[in-house]
Amino acid sequence: MLAYVTKRVLGLVPVLLGVIFLVFCMVWLAPGDPVLALLGESAQGMSAGQVEELRRAYGLDRGFAEQFVSYLSGALRLDLGVSLRSSQPVGAEVLSRFPATLALAGSAMLIAVVVGGAFGVLAAVYKGTWVDSIAIVVALLGVSVPVFWSGLVLMLVFALQLGWLPASGFGGWRHLVMPAAAVGFSSAAFIARVTRASLIETLRLDYVRTARAKGLRERVVRLKHALKNALLPVVTVVGLQFGGLLGGAVLTETVFAWPGVGRLLVDAIRSRDLPLVQGSVLLVAVAFILVNLLVDLSYAALNPKVRYG
Amino acid sequence: MADLVAATAGRVPGPLARFWNAPAARRFRRNRGAVVGLVLVVALVLIAVLAPTLAPFAPDAQDLRARLRPPSTAHPFGTDEFGRDILSRVLYGARISLFTGLVPVVSGLLVGTTIGLLGGYYRGWLDDVLMRVMDVLLAFPSLLLALAVVGTLGPGLVNAVVAVAIVAVPGYARLARSVVIAAREEEFVHAARSLGAHDLRLMVRHVLPSTIGPLTVQATLGIGFAILSMAGLSFLGLGVQPPTSDWGEMLSRGRRFLPGSSWLLLYPGAAISLTVLAFNLLGDGLRDAFDPRD
């Protein structure tokens, strides 16, 4: 297992370098002069001399490679520059928004796994019946309905019409219910589809027939013998879904005025605050990579075939 | 009787009949969801084409005396804050929605397939470099990558389409590559090579056709995803800009008039959901038709 962990972690190094490189390039790919792109609106009314002075101050007069190395060494120390809007260090500002986003994505994931898993198992066990049909239709809706729309509909019904939950803002669990349900719904749909397909496949295998033949109760066969193996592909999907959850969180945070990284990023894009855009993109991508690493490792821990394959 | 048999046996089925009777087409026709998806997609295309005829009003015609009216016989879906007819705007929105679904997928498909074809055919260092770049793109959650592109280039319809196209590239590249790697070892490819066919001809004439089936399925599902992503960007105010009739943009503005004017949200959101559902059903149906596992 240790060899596998080492291999996977080392394999991430080039990907991380690539991600940092892409984020670094955003300044160069933005239309116009990099200095002006970095300065945003504050560059207006500056003399050419002042701009050149700032170009030297930012180190933008140096060579491309030299600049990348200095961005990289900064990024590794979480020194990601200063926000144009708030003049705060970008790293600290993004990190301060992380707990809210992780709470949202985490509870959405919980909802998705519980609801999606349950629907998937029911659909597989009652394959071909009305239970299966309902599960399939709900799962299809889940992957088709935009997360910001289901969020708005939930808000309309449960907050504005019924008044059961607060419409928006950040606070206790009551504020978390609707955004988490909206984000979790689409992932639940994916998880339900995969769980169903995987369990149906597993139930056909020989060892399941053996378990039945030796007289085990159907419930034990399905839930203890088959489900355990059927859950392996589900673990992978859960990991991949985390990216979708983060994306869903970006949209949902805007709907519910949830103070997470997503809303910070969208506000930064709107106000052309490039250092803040870069910092948010980089840190969310790194979080996504780390979660996928954890999922891969737990997958390997569950399934010896992966480790030795 | 003998004449009849001779006549039937002698008739060669035309290309249309051969298409209609192909095993994949039969499987597709038997799949209720797939047929519903196809019908919905055709209906959507018709709505987009016929929008000027179908819409009772021009999409941007303002009637300031009829602002924020709930659904009525004159305005079946109600009106917005400028007195514009929601039904007409939803119908016209099908145009921008199909456009923003198709353009990123087609461009992503072109770039992705080229990358996958080159990498899978030549292998070696070229493949390594291309696939490492794809790995980096896949390391971003897809909406985050789209936001990064829009954050770099600036908001707007064209930049948002570019963003969603870039997000689509690595998926097609990987899929095309895996098909190409298997196809280049086929006997007919070896045979063509021994007859002296050069690389470009082998790639385009002999290897590329194998990718069409899997890529069609992926692209159909990709259209739904692209429409969803574009609607998301427009909802955030970073994609389609007013006054264009776009479903995501309508939702973005409509939510300011909650809780009173819920019709502003209901119809555009339902239109997005139905459109994405249609492409998902069609894509799932095509996959099951091309690749029957049961």
Side-chain angles (χ1 to χ4, degrees):
Chain A
M1 187 70 196
L2 189 69
Y4 182 79
V5 174
T6 321
K7 201 179 106 193
R8 288 284 303 131
V9 171
L10 286 180
L12 279 186
V13 173
V15 174
L16 276 173
L17 279 177
V19 167
I20 296 175
F21 180 72
L22 264 192
V23 170
F24 162 75
C25 286
M26 285 169 69
V27 175
W28 295 89
L29 295 171
D33 187 333
V35 184
L36 300 181
L38 270 179
L39 289 173
E41 284 170 7
S42 58
Q44 275 162 12
M46 271 188 194
S47 71
Q50 280 173 310
V51 171
E52 287 317 306
E53 207 169 295
L54 283 164
R55 189 188 305 279
R56 271 192 298 282
Y58 282 131
L60 287 167
D61 55 336
R62 288 178 289 163
F64 189 81
E66 198 182 336
Q67 282 185 50
F68 175 60
V69 171
S70 101
Y71 185 82
L72 181 66
S73 73
L76 294 177
R77 286 176 283 117
L78 256 168
D79 175 8
L80 297 167
V82 173
S83 159
L84 300 178
R85 231 173 9 147
S86 65
S87 308
Q88 298 293 313
V90 166
E93 192 160 1
V94 177
L95 282 186
S96 74
R97 299 289 200 104
F98 250 90
T101 297
L102 288 182
L104 177 54
S107 32
M109 182 60 93
L110 193 69
I111 293 177
V113 170
V114 172
V115 175
F119 262 88
V121 170
L122 280 176
V125 170
Y126 297 103
K127 183 177 177 250
T129 68
W130 60 272
V131 180
D132 190 19
S133 311
I134 290 183
I136 289 176
V137 170
V138 172
L140 251 167
L141 284 180
V143 292
S144 305
V145 173
V147 56
F148 49 94
W149 191 55
S150 52
L152 284 169
V153 172
L154 284 178
M155 182 199 273
L156 188 66
V157 174
F158 292 103
L160 303 175
Q161 302 281 343
L162 297 171
W164 291 353
L165 292 164
S168 62
F170 184 65
W173 65 271
R174 285 163 50 84
H175 288 87
L176 193 57
V177 175
M178 285 192 296
V183 179
F185 182 37
S186 60
S187 294
F190 275 105
I191 291 172
R193 289 176 98 167
V194 174
T195 310
R196 175 181 181 274
S198 168
L199 187 55
I200 287 175
E201 207 126 296
T202 314
L203 282 171
R204 282 195 202 133
L205 295 180
D206 283 340
Y207 84 92
V208 173
R209 197 186 316 170
T210 309
R212 280 187 183 135
K214 69 181 186 185
L216 289 180
R217 270 174 302 149
E218 190 59 25
R219 229 164 95 98
V220 178
V221 173
R222 280 172 181 163
L223 296 183
K224 203 168 160 218
H225 291 237
L227 189 61
K228 250 192 210 167
N229 276 314
L231 283 181
L232 280 173
V234 179
V235 174
T236 317
V237 179
V238 167
L240 290 174
Q241 279 302 303
F242 194 75
L245 281 176
L246 285 174
V250 171
L251 290 161
T252 317
E253 282 174 9
T254 303
V255 173
F256 291 99
W258 187 263
V261 190
R263 219 157 66 96
L264 184 72
L265 171 60
V266 172
D267 288 342
I269 294 175
R270 285 198 189 128
S271 56
R272 305 292 291 141
D273 188 343
L274 201 51
L276 192 54
V277 174
Q278 286 178 295
S280 326
V281 168
L282 181 60
L283 290 180
V284 175
V286 169
F288 179 53
I289 291 172
L290 291 181
V291 167
N292 272 328
L293 174 70
L294 286 179
V295 170
D296 269 6
L297 295 183
S298 58
Y299 190 67
L302 289 171
N303 187 359
K305 270 194 254 170
V306 177
R307 266 172 303 186
Y308 301 113
Chain B
M1 185 65 196
D3 288 351
L4 187 68
V5 171
T8 326
R11 194 189 304 149
V12 179
L16 203 67
R18 257 183 297 160
F19 174 76
W20 180 253
N21 288 318
R26 284 169 188 271
R27 277 193 294 271
F28 187 87
R29 284 203 304 276
R30 270 202 300 271
N31 183 342
R32 215 184 321 155
V35 175
V36 171
L38 182 64
V39 169
L40 283 174
V41 167
V42 171
L44 198 76
V45 172
L46 286 178
I47 288 176
V49 173
L50 300 175
T53 321
L54 294 172
F57 298 89
D60 44 7
Q62 302 189 2
D63 180 358
L64 295 178
R65 289 160 307 167
R67 287 157 46 181
L68 292 175
R69 292 276 167 83
S72 62
T73 36
H75 300 284
F77 288 3
T79 63
D80 68 5
E81 74 271 30
F82 299 111
R84 295 179 297 193
D85 182 51
I86 301 286
L87 172 63
S88 306
R89 290 182 72 72
V90 168
L91 292 174
Y92 270 90
R95 297 185 151 194
I96 199 92
S97 186
L98 281 182
F99 174 80
T100 57
L102 283 172
V103 175
V105 168
V106 171
S107 5
L109 205 53
L110 284 176
V111 178
T113 311
T114 309
I115 291 175
L117 192 58
L118 289 174
Y121 186 85
Y122 286 111
R123 307 302 300 270
W125 66 268
L126 180 69
D127 188 33
D128 284 341
V129 171
L130 290 174
M131 287 305 124
R132 287 303 81 76
V133 175
M134 295 301 110
D135 284 347
V136 171
L137 290 181
L138 283 171
F140 293 89
S142 52
L143 188 74
L144 184 76
L145 183 56
L147 285 171
V149 175
V150 172
T152 306
L153 302 177
L157 172 63
V158 176
N159 292 345
V161 167
V162 171
V164 178
I166 291 177
V167 171
V169 167
Y172 299 125
R174 277 201 168 175
L175 183 61
R177 174 179 176 271
S178 67
V179 178
V180 167
I181 286 176
R184 70 196 279 268
E185 300 307 331
E186 294 274 357
E187 279 179 17
F188 64 86
V189 179
H190 286 301
R193 181 178 289 127
S194 61
L195 286 173
H198 50 83
D199 282 345
L200 187 67
R201 187 181 165 84
L202 281 174
M203 269 196 272
V204 176
R205 283 294 296 272
H206 299 282
V207 173
L208 190 62
S210 325
T211 64
I212 291 176
L215 283 174
T216 308
V217 172
Q218 187 85 354
T220 312
L221 294 168
I223 294 174
F225 186 75
I227 291 176
L228 219 45
S229 311
M230 280 297 301
L233 289 176
S234 300
F235 175 75
L236 294 173
L238 305 174
V240 179
Q241 303 294 319
T244 312
S245 298
D246 172 76
W247 298 334
E249 195 272 330
M250 288 168 82
L251 286 178
S252 169
R253 253 177 326 98
R255 77 193 184 101
R256 281 184 258 146
F257 299 94
L258 281 181
S261 311
S262 53
W263 60 89
L264 292 179
L265 298 178
L266 216 52
Y267 301 104
I272 300 173
S273 308
L274 206 60
T275 305
V276 177
L277 180 74
F279 283 104
N280 282 340
L281 282 172
L282 184 62
D284 283 347
L286 287 175
R287 187 183 51 209
D288 293 343
F290 280 129
D291 173 31
R293 278 154 303 169
D294 292 308

